[in-house]
Every structure is written in structure tokens, then in C-alpha cells.
Amino acid sequence: MALVRELREELGIEVAVPVGPPMRQVRTDAFDMQIWLIESWTGTPVNVALDEHDAIGWFQGDELGELRLAHDSYLAMFTEALAVG
């Protein structure tokens, strides 16, 4: 599954293949995105893909508005996904 590979390549963690559907799916003309809730993993998340990400970090929901996100639609999408989770 692409999610498992991407988390390994970009964060250096190992996760089990999720069971069931993603929390949310977003399809636009520019991209397709699935949001998954991963509650356990092996390893310590680090920014392995320095050429793709400025930084990684843990944030509270009320801190999302302060982040520099890659796409304008992400703020509403992440806020909604966190409210559902």
C-alpha cells in the first residue's frame, strides 16, 4: 500500500496496512488525497525527505492556522478531519 511506503520513505516509521476506508478523501483538479488515522507505529518520526518537507512536528488543532501549508484547502480539510477523529 502506498501509505505504508510513503510513511517509511518520508518519516522513517513502519505502520501496519490500515483496515477499512480512509477517514476522508479529497479529490480536486489538482490532486487526490486520502486521510488516514494512524494510531501506532514502530520507529521515531523524523524528516527523512528533506527535499520534500521543510519540517515535521506535532500540533494541536488550534495551532493549524499558524502553519504554512502546501495548499490553501488543507487548513479546512485538516480541521474537519481532526473534528471527526
Side-chain angles (χ1 to χ4, degrees):
M1 169 179 232
L3 173 67
V4 174
R5 183 191 70 245
E6 290 295 319
L7 291 173
R8 182 181 325 109
E9 291 174 358
E10 297 188 22
L11 297 179
I13 62 173
E14 296 292 331
V15 300
V17 174
V19 177
M23 284 179 63
R24 184 130 193 307
Q25 296 189 55
V26 178
R27 289 186 171 81
T28 72
D29 292 337
F31 62 86
D32 290 336
M33 178 186 295
Q34 296 177 334
I35 299 174
W36 297 86
L37 177 61
I38 303 297
E39 296 181 299
S40 65
W41 57 86
T42 303
T44 301
V46 295
N47 187 4
V48 178
L50 296 173
D51 58 328
E52 295 183 36
H53 308 290
D54 293 336
I56 64 168
W58 298 107
F59 305 96
Q60 298 293 323
D62 60 354
E63 296 174 299
L64 288 175
E66 301 169 23
L67 300 177
R68 209 177 82 223
L69 300 172
H71 193 273
D72 293 340
S73 68
Y74 288 5
L75 178 58
M77 179 180 55
F78 293 154
T79 301
E80 182 180 332
L82 288 171
V84 172

